[in-house]
Amino acid sequence: MNERSLEVLEHFYQKVIIPIKLGSLDLSVTNLTLSMFAAAFVFLGILIFLAYRPKIVPSKKQTIVEWLISFIKRYIVYNMMGREEGKKWWPLITGLFIFILANNLIGIIPGAYTPTANPLVPLVLAVIIFLTVQVSDLVKNGIRGYVRTFAPRSVPAWMYVIVFPIEVVSAIAKPFSLFIRLAANMIAGHIIIYVLLGLIIYFKNYFIAIAAVPFSVIMTIFEIFVGAIQAYIFAVLASMYIGEAVSKKD
């Protein structure tokens, strides 16, 4: 067994499954790509199965899907934006919630990669929210109202040299916090599990296994809970940031 197989972070390495190169453009399919598509197809398949042939009087399976959508709309989007604005934005937030939840949980399957543990995936999601907030603010309030986001009327003009940079940093920090929170939580939980299982391989001791395996199972169950919570937090904060942008007035 080589040293690399014992490395705790080996699970987080990207591995090329199908190499595809077009000149200098690398379009290779990696374990990240496969896990991300698998997560999307598995969760979409489950939702389609549960909501197949919807009825006016919902079946038990249909009730699960309706409850999930109702929960996101009422307790996340409408709470953060209000009903009128929420009607426009709940499909986006629902899509984000389900996508993040799926990619958080797919890594629980042995051998699967956890896409949200790769910093690039949470970073892209955070950038999407950042651009959505800025564009929504600009469309809703116009150029003048958008500028007032960084230079409020209530602040004396001579203080703009201080307030403007602070507001810009604050606008960038909000999506950055989404990125850090999601990536850090998913990386940390998986590192703990792989460290525990790695101890068994490293020491080759049955007594270590007796203690490590049950604790790893407990941590895996806890990871499912953390994955759901992180999807919820991301959706709540994204709704709040967009809600703030579209509710601002010049």
Side-chain angles (χ1 to χ4, degrees), residues 48-176:
I48 291 171
F49 169 75
L50 293 175
Y52 185 65
R53 291 182 179 177
K55 302 175 182 178
I56 296 176
V57 179
S59 62
K60 292 181 180 179
K61 294 188 298 181
Q62 184 180 331
T63 301
I64 296 173
V65 178
E66 291 185 358
W67 176 87
L68 175 63
I69 295 175
S70 177
F71 174 81
I72 297 171
K73 287 172 66 175
R74 294 176 58 188
Y75 297 104
I76 297 179
V77 183
Y78 290 176
N79 271 0
M80 296 294 110
M81 301 185 189
R83 181 174 292 272
E84 289 305 313
E85 285 295 338
K87 288 178 181 178
K88 304 173 187 176
W89 293 101
W90 75 262
L92 172 64
I93 302 302
T94 300
L96 277 172
F97 179 91
I98 294 174
F99 178 80
I100 293 171
L101 179 63
N103 283 279
N104 286 351
L105 299 185
I106 194 70
I108 300 298
I109 300 174
Y113 188 89
T114 307
T116 44
N118 185 308
L120 287 178
V121 175
L123 180 60
V124 169
L125 294 174
V127 169
I128 290 173
I129 295 302
F130 174 77
L131 294 177
T132 301
V133 168
Q134 304 308 314
V135 172
S136 300
D137 190 351
L138 184 60
V139 171
K140 180 75 175 183
N141 303 306
I143 296 176
R144 187 175 182 180
Y146 180 74
V147 171
R148 287 296 179 190
T149 300
F150 305 100
R153 286 184 180 277
S154 58
V155 177
W158 63 270
M159 288 191 65
Y160 284 166
V161 68
I162 300 173
V163 172
F164 186 82
I166 293 175
E167 291 296 329
V168 170
V169 171
S170 176
I172 297 173
K174 288 178 179 179
F176 185 75

Side-chain angles (χ1 to χ4, degrees), residues 2-15 31 113 194:
N2 56 42
E3 293 182 1
R4 176 170 174 154
S5 66
L6 297 177
E7 291 184 20
V8 173
L9 296 180
E10 185 178 8
H11 171 75
F12 302 102
Y13 298 156
Q14 283 197 61
K15 303 172 184 176
N31 51 349
Y113 188 89
Y194 280 90

